[in-house]
Amino acid sequence: MADGFDVVVIGGGPGGYVAAIRAAQLGFSTACIDDWKTPDGKPALGGTCTNVGCIPSKALLQSSENYEHAGHEFSEHGIEVKGLSVDVARMLARKDKVVRQNNDGIGYLFKKNKVAFYHGVGSFAGGAAGAWQVKVTGPGAAALTAKNVIVATGSKPRALPGTPFDHERILDNEGALALPNVPKRLGVIGAGVVGLEMGSVWRRLGADVTMLEALPALLGAADEQVAKEAAKLFAKQGLAIRLGVNITKVTTGKDVVVDYTDANGKAQTVSFDKLIVSIGRVPHTAGLDAAKVGLALDERGFIVADADCKTNLPGVWAIGDVVRGPMLAHKAEDEGVAVAERIAGQHGHVDFNTVPWVIYTSPEIAWVGQTEQQLKAAGVAYHAGSFPFMANGRARALGDTRGFVKFIADAKTDRILGMHAIGPMVSELIAEGVVAMEFGASSEDIARIIHAHPSLSEAVKEAALAVDKRTLNF
């Protein structure tokens, strides 16, 4: 006999587990199905983000940054380090421990909120509105029925055409996080978020890193002023980023040999010990048996969903990477909460105009809202102001004065249209821009709010002042 639930969530990543918790909080009998597992076969809740994405990458970024600070920056503070070395195995073990803590934390939250967990692959087995049948295949094999199904199956790495991941020489994000030794020559195809973060980790640890990017400019989605500053700083660090590249052939043997044409159309060849391919992600719907119930997918494999995450089937919803919109963990989480609330008859809300973006390189890069190039293309009149961290007292004390904070505001109303930053801890500072935009704030509103001194957040206040050309400290 099938186990019956009000809500069944397929997928236990950020969107799925948060949706399940919120549904349970709202009084629904809720189940979550997820097939991630540890090397010893135990459940590993948290999806790509927790297991091979956001969490482990930040752990390695922190470890590698500590190593770089000890080797190059501690001496400025009067701290001498002799015999510095790196133990990659211990670094990876720490990363794995951080991941396990997050896995276990989600399991605890399920118990706390009385969410039933099924370890395995969830798929549609039939049914109709109000009585969807969901099958679990795997260690937690079961037959479930659900009044509502939330699909949160996430995404998987996109392979280079004709060059599948072999997880030995040609690596996806998972392989990039588990290299047992520092490669001498590391290639990265794709200079987006994952490529830049992984390239930064292994460069700091001693790899000679070359990044090959198809687009003619670095970080085309970011504000152009930020992207240019990032390119300059990454080059200074030793990241070799080649733009306008067209990969023609990848050959594996003793080395990984990449043939490509450069931005000038000239044929080039480069050899690596390891190659990370980070050219985007594709929706993960394999095994879902969408066709069995007529769940509509688009030509790219995404589940077709409207602005409220409703699919073409009544009572079936889809969130996160498997639907339209940015592939970001926090976007998936908010969609999960909104869907649970919509099922409860409430008015769940997600504003795609205020989704923050962060790249956890050093310096960090973060933005929310529109860029100058977007506003110019749309013919919107605006004022912009920026403030450099080199004029910020806290940044000087930290020893990291790279970058700046920038605001863009409507020329007539002064309403904030975007905040863009590159510098220390801007992943935290960007939250002020998100809040300001959600409340429809003007740049003057931020300029007139007292910010603690000394703090990095003062650069936010000063950037707001700069919109009106009246900075106080620059």
Side-chain angles (χ1 to χ4, degrees), residues 83-422:
L84 183 67
S85 64
V86 61
D87 185 334
V88 174
R90 284 178 64 186
M91 192 175 287
L92 295 179
R94 177 188 178 273
K95 178 259 296 180
D96 292 341
K97 181 181 178 182
V98 171
V99 169
R100 292 291 87 76
Q101 288 170 334
N102 281 270
N103 294 147
D104 294 344
I106 298 167
Y108 162 77
L109 291 171
F110 275 6
K111 291 178 181 177
K112 175 186 175 183
N113 290 282
K114 296 181 174 58
V115 174
F117 173 63
Y118 292 85
H119 190 203
V121 176
S123 61
F124 285 101
W132 296 109
Q133 298 168 20
V134 178
K135 179 175 67 174
V136 182
T137 306
L144 313 179
T145 61
K147 295 176 183 176
N148 291 275
V149 177
I150 302 174
V151 181
T153 47
S155 60
K156 57 185 179 180
R158 183 193 302 275
L160 198 65
T163 309
F165 298 110
D166 62 14
H167 308 294
E168 178 61 34
R169 296 267 186 171
I170 300 174
L171 311 170
D172 58 10
N173 55 292
E174 183 172 1
L177 289 162
L179 286 169
N181 300 293
V182 180
K184 184 177 180 181
R185 301 164 303 165
L186 176 64
V188 182
I189 297 180
V193 177
V194 174
L196 286 169
E197 290 184 357
M198 289 299 91
S200 293
V201 165
W202 296 107
R203 180 206 60 78
R204 292 172 194 162
L205 298 178
D208 181 6
V209 179
T210 300
M211 308 189 72
L212 306 175
E213 169 58 52
L215 294 175
L218 181 67
L219 296 175
D223 187 82
E224 190 174 344
Q225 186 181 353
V226 169
K228 286 181 177 179
E229 182 72 5
K232 180 178 70 176
L233 292 171
F234 291 149
K236 188 175 180 181
Q237 292 171 8
L239 274 180
I241 303 175
R242 301 176 187 176
L243 302 170
V245 166
N246 179 39
I247 306 295
T248 55
K249 186 179 179 182
V250 177
T251 308
T252 55
K254 182 181 177 182
D255 296 329
V256 181
V257 180
V258 180
D259 295 324
Y260 68 94
T261 55
D262 63 20
N264 298 315
K266 185 177 179 181
Q268 303 281 1
T269 298
V270 62
S271 297
F272 304 111
D273 300 306
K274 304 283 185 181
L275 180 67
I276 297 170
V277 176
S278 57
I279 57 172
R281 299 179 66 82
V282 295
H284 181 45
T285 54
L288 190 60
D289 281 346
K292 186 169 288 187
V293 290
L295 179 61
L297 307 180
D298 69 14
E299 66 279 1
R300 295 184 297 161
F302 287 94
I303 295 174
V304 178
D306 67 11
D308 289 337
C309 299
K310 292 178 181 177
T311 71
N312 65 306
L313 301 178
V316 178
W317 312 71
I319 63 173
D321 287 7
V322 82
V323 298
R324 78 288 172 272
M327 288 185 171
L328 297 169
H330 42 283
K331 173 260 194 182
E333 290 179 340
D334 269 32
E335 283 186 329
V337 169
V339 165
E341 292 175 350
R342 287 166 189 150
I343 291 172
Q346 299 179 13
H347 299 281
H349 174 71
V350 179
D351 186 352
F352 288 110
N353 296 311
T354 54
V355 176
W357 293 74
V358 179
I359 305 175
Y360 294 88
T361 46
S362 179
E364 293 182 343
I365 300 167
W367 71 89
V368 62
Q370 294 176 283
T371 64
E372 278 204 63
Q373 56 265 38
Q374 287 174 324
L375 293 170
K376 286 177 181 176
V380 176
Y382 65 87
H383 293 148
S386 61
F387 185 83
F389 280 106
M390 69 178 182
N392 176 269
R394 184 69 193 278
R396 290 180 186 138
L398 286 173
D400 189 354
T401 57
R402 298 170 296 175
F404 57 86
V405 177
K406 173 179 180 177
F407 272 113
I408 306 173
D410 186 276
K412 293 181 180 179
T413 66
D414 194 37
R415 183 168 181 163
I416 296 169
L417 302 176
M419 174 180 164
H420 307 271
I422 177 170

